[in-house]
Amino acid sequence: GQNIDQPTEMTATEGAIVQINCTYQTSGFNGLFWYQQHAGEAPTFLSYNVLDGLEEKGRFSSFLSRSKGYSYLLLKELQMKDSASYLCAVRERGGSSYKLIFGSGTRLLVRP
Amino acid sequence: NAGVMQNPRHLVRRRGQEARLRCSPMKGHSHVYWYRQLPEEGLKFMVYLQKENIIDESGMPKERFSAEFPKEGPSILRIQQVVRGDSAAYFCASSPTGTGGRRNEKLFFGSGTQLSVL
């Protein structure tokens, strides 16, 4: 089975930095993804980690520690438009196929 | 290049009716995934299909739900005899090679179909 945990909600201030944590327990781990989802819209890809360490992409960075079953998404220079849900997803191998298993998401509210 | 197209955007059904949700993957993508999202919850995996084949249906309820991805045309998620508990947003996603083909292969999502059962 699999278990992916993220905080339900977070609040931060415009211009600040926020870190969204994700812990997971899964068999057949094959990578970790972060997606952003605005209310009523499609999830959109933010980042991918398969090896330990930090991946940086503009204002967004994602970190992975496979031994700890832990990842975080770091958002810098927060903007109001960053208010959204952030979904942690583990790619899991099952037999000969792969699928993404999502956590429940973290709702981030950015305040002025 | 059009993205993943889902229709209808909103679907209202009465209890006992059938719901058909359609998904056209991105051009060149032959792998389709269906997810269900309840309010304030994450995406729950339902089924993974390739053209004419169901690869993984471990997340599909055993009864009333079925999915297909024919050689021609969109993928269809079919829910028979809907109940109020089926009310949710249903998202379709596609990828070129099935997420495992290349290490950083990601899923591209459609805008979803919001199913409301009265």
Side-chain angles (χ1 to χ4, degrees), chain B residues 20-80:
Chain B
R20 281 186 177 237
L21 288 64
R22 297 175 188 78
C23 170
S24 295
M26 287 182 69
K27 187 177 181 181
H29 288 193
S30 59
H31 298 254
V32 165
Y33 301 76
W34 284 93
Y35 286 83
R36 177 164 63 177
Q37 187 174 39
L38 294 170
E40 310 300 321
E41 293 189 12
L43 296 160
K44 301 297 184 186
F45 170 79
M46 298 182 74
V47 62
Y48 162 35
L49 309 103
Q50 293 180 32
K51 284 285 188 181
E52 300 184 277
N53 287 303
I54 297 175
I55 306 302
D56 182 344
E57 56 181 348
S58 57
M60 286 278 271
K62 299 299 180 189
E63 298 179 348
R64 303 188 297 108
F65 285 72
S66 62
E68 63 177 11
F69 189 16
K71 186 176 181 180
E72 301 291 337
S75 175
I76 306 289
L77 179 67
R78 182 183 178 202
I79 311 172
Q80 295 178 290

Side-chain angles (χ1 to χ4, degrees), chain B residues 77-115:
Chain B
L77 179 67
R78 182 183 178 202
I79 311 172
Q80 295 178 290
Q81 300 173 349
V82 296
V83 301
R84 287 198 175 138
D86 297 332
S87 296
Y90 291 83
F91 286 93
C92 167
S94 73
S95 70
T97 59
T99 73
R102 297 176 191 166
R103 284 198 165 267
N104 62 347
E105 197 70 57
K106 56 185 177 283
L107 297 184
F108 295 83
F109 282 85
S111 296
T113 293
Q114 180 64 52
L115 173 65

Side-chain angles (χ1 to χ4, degrees), chain A residues 31-82:
Chain A
L32 190 140
F33 293 76
W34 284 93
Y35 278 77
Q36 180 190 61
Q37 186 181 25
H38 286 96
E41 297 184 11
T44 55
F45 170 79
L46 287 178
S47 70
Y48 166 77
N49 297 71
V50 68
L51 299 176
D52 291 352
L54 189 68
E55 294 282 343
E56 295 185 85
K57 189 188 290 186
R59 294 190 300 114
F60 294 74
S61 303
S62 59
F63 172 84
L64 175 66
S65 169
R66 289 171 296 171
S67 62
K68 295 181 180 178
Y70 168 68
S71 173
Y72 67 72
L73 179 70
L74 194 69
L75 293 78
K76 302 175 186 176
E77 301 170 12
L78 281 172
Q79 302 175 8
M80 298 299 290
K81 68 178 182 179
D82 296 330

